Amino acid sequence: QAYQLCMGDRSSEPKAQKVGGFMALCQETDSDDGFDEESTDLEGGDEPILLDEDPPPVRILLIAFMFMFQGYGCMVGAPQHALKTKLGIEHSQAAAFQEATASFQLAKLLMRVCQIAFLVLMEPSGIVYMAYVVMFFALWVPVIFVWGAGVTGLWVVYLQYILGGVAVGLFEGTFLSVISSLGKNTKTFAIMGAPLGFFVNNTVLALLTECGMPVVAYYYYNALCLPFAMYIFHMHRPQEVKAAKGKGCDVFMNSMNHAMDWLPYMLVWFVAKFIGNFVLEDGFPLLFNTFNTGGWL
């Protein structure tokens, strides 16, 4: 009876009196909730709620992502070959030099796994800034110690490549996480910066090297790009929620405590990621790391 009265059936006055209190509640709810079932507008709102609409992409963040991967490109290919030559690495030392450069991949792996520890001390955007700074110092290591001071020890290779691996390991996922609120289109443009960074090193700078540019210019150029990348990121990144500051580790631990809510759905993606990274990390040394040995293949 109360339902019929709420829906407009007021044919029986005595019944209406019996449930008068309920009628008043229904009327109050209809008038005060501010929600119209026929639209997505909230009462008093100026604009409708738009669902599943991606905001316009912030395309300039592609540059901030690309400049970091230009630094990554200095760890392989022509710059690595020039570093090996400058150090005077002979055939008997080639394996030791290869192990030193492989420290880049190990450092990158460790930082990808352990970066959650940094969330206890800083915001995700702070990790991105730190990654830029670490890569900046990594690129200056060969310039200062090898080309400047004439150091020939392999420790300088370990120093450069460990710093570079730490920077890239901290950077990739954290950068994309920070800009997630800007939408999928922005992330798509940003990810395009990775191949473009390698393109600049392997095509544009390589061509200039063939025209007489000294190889050390790779390091100068890419190091000087990083402050601009930091500025672009600072100006165009979304503002982080203050309430979430310092809670990254707590969120991670809470997710691990409820792993069965999401782990079964992620297993297939873990397998795909493992295969992709296995090919990537094994393919790069084969494609880009060159050594002055007659039959290294």
Side-chain angles (χ1 to χ4, degrees):
Q1 294 172 351
Y3 175 77
Q4 292 175 345
L5 288 171
C6 282
M7 297 303 294
D9 184 2
R10 299 176 175 83
S11 59
S12 176
E13 187 64 25
K15 294 180 181 179
Q17 294 176 355
K18 291 180 181 180
V19 291
F22 190 83
M23 276 291 300
L25 179 61
C26 292
Q27 292 172 356
E28 181 181 354
T29 302
D30 289 342
S31 60
D32 294 341
D33 63 4
F35 181 76
D36 182 2
E37 293 182 355
E38 299 298 327
S39 71
T40 58
D41 291 350
L42 291 179
E43 184 177 3
D46 295 329
E47 297 181 358
I49 298 175
L50 300 178
L51 303 176
D52 298 330
E53 182 173 336
D54 206 45
V58 185
R59 294 180 176 87
I60 196 171
L61 286 174
L62 179 150
I63 304 298
F65 203 75
M66 182 184 75
F67 282 168
M68 172 60 80
F69 275 82
Q70 286 182 180
Y72 189 166
C74 276
M75 305 293 166
V76 296
Q80 184 188 106
H81 182 83
L83 176 64
K84 177 177 179 289
T85 303
K86 186 69 175 179
L87 291 173
I89 302 297
E90 299 178 353
H91 177 73
S92 59
Q93 299 175 296
F97 180 80
Q98 183 175 2
E99 291 178 1
T101 58
S103 63
F104 177 92
Q105 305 294 343
L106 179 60
K108 183 172 68 171
L109 172 64
L110 291 176
M111 284 302 102
R112 282 176 172 170
V113 175
C114 300
Q115 63 176 286
I116 187 65
F118 290 95
L119 291 174
V120 179
L121 305 174
M122 62 183 66
E123 299 176 357
S125 60
I127 296 178
V128 176
Y129 290 127
M130 183 171 66
Y132 279 126
V133 172
V134 173
M135 179 59 80
F136 182 81
F137 283 108
L139 294 175
W140 282 109
V141 165
V143 175
I144 296 173
F145 291 103
V146 179
W147 272 269
V151 175
T152 58
L154 286 178
W155 66 266
V156 74
V157 181
Y158 278 101
L159 178 60
Q160 175 192 348
Y161 280 76
I162 288 175
L163 288 176
V166 168
V168 175
L170 290 174
F171 180 80
E172 290 176 293
T174 310
F175 183 97
L176 296 176
S177 176
V178 169
I179 68 171
S180 291
S181 61
L182 297 178
K184 296 179 181 179
N185 290 333
T186 297
K187 292 179 69 175
T188 299
F189 272 95
I191 293 171
M192 289 170 58
L196 288 176
F198 283 99
F199 173 82
V200 171
N201 279 279
N202 298 328
T203 304
V204 179
L205 296 183
L207 179 61
L208 294 176
T209 303
E210 292 296 323
C211 296
M213 183 188 77
V215 178
V216 70
Y218 274 89
Y219 298 104
Y220 282 113
Y221 165 74
N222 288 301
L224 294 176
C225 283
L226 290 174
F228 293 99
M230 293 179 65
Y231 176 77
I232 293 171
F233 174 73
H234 178 73
M235 295 300 297
H236 297 279
R237 69 176 178 87
Q239 296 298 318
E240 292 172 310
V241 180
K242 293 183 179 180
K245 184 177 181 180
K247 296 183 179 180
C249 189
D250 293 337
V251 172
F252 175 79
M253 295 306 300
N254 181 65
S255 297
M256 296 306 297
N257 291 333
H258 300 85
M260 294 310 299
D261 294 339
W262 54 267
L263 183 59
Y265 302 100
M266 292 296 296
L267 287 177
V268 64
W269 298 105
F270 290 157
V271 173
K273 180 66 174 174
F274 174 82
I275 296 174
N277 274 71
F278 184 85
V279 174
L280 178 67
E281 310 301 350
D282 285 344
F284 266 16
L286 180 63
L287 296 175
F288 290 104
N289 296 350
T290 55
F291 305 97
N292 289 332
T293 55
W296 70 283
L297 288 178

